[in-house]
Amino acid sequence: TIFSLTIIAVICGIKSWDWILDVNFDEDKSRKRKGYASLNFALTNKMTINLLNQERKSNLSMTHKKLRANYDTPYLKTLFIFNA
């Protein structure tokens, strides 16, 4: 029924976030346990994924976009320019 399909879609959405975070940031191997460190890093990682997903000019993978942003300062600045 529609209710069960909605639940499956929500679960798959959550699983895909977990997979993306694990593949791109090795979140399962993270050792941040003290205080709010794990929540802060999870939020930062999700914001980074959202910024990289919004950039559509290049056909690079998420990993290559991260590497390019690390080495190419003008590219990093373009990630923070919001077109409203």
Side-chain angles (χ1 to χ4, degrees), residues 27-49:
E27 200 168 73
D28 287 347
K29 296 178 188 174
S30 174
R31 308 273 303 171
K32 298 165 194 75
R33 307 263 193 275
K34 202 163 191 170
Y36 291 103
S38 62
L39 292 174
N40 291 337
F41 274 90
L43 181 63
T44 305
N45 291 343
K46 288 177 183 177
M47 288 179 3
T48 303
I49 288 172

Side-chain angles (χ1 to χ4, degrees), residues 46-63:
K46 288 177 183 177
M47 288 179 3
T48 303
I49 288 172
N50 285 329
L51 285 172
L52 293 174
N53 279 336
Q54 288 177 1
E55 194 275 320
R56 304 256 185 223
K57 292 180 183 174
S58 65
N59 291 331
L60 299 173
S61 67
M62 182 81 62
T63 303

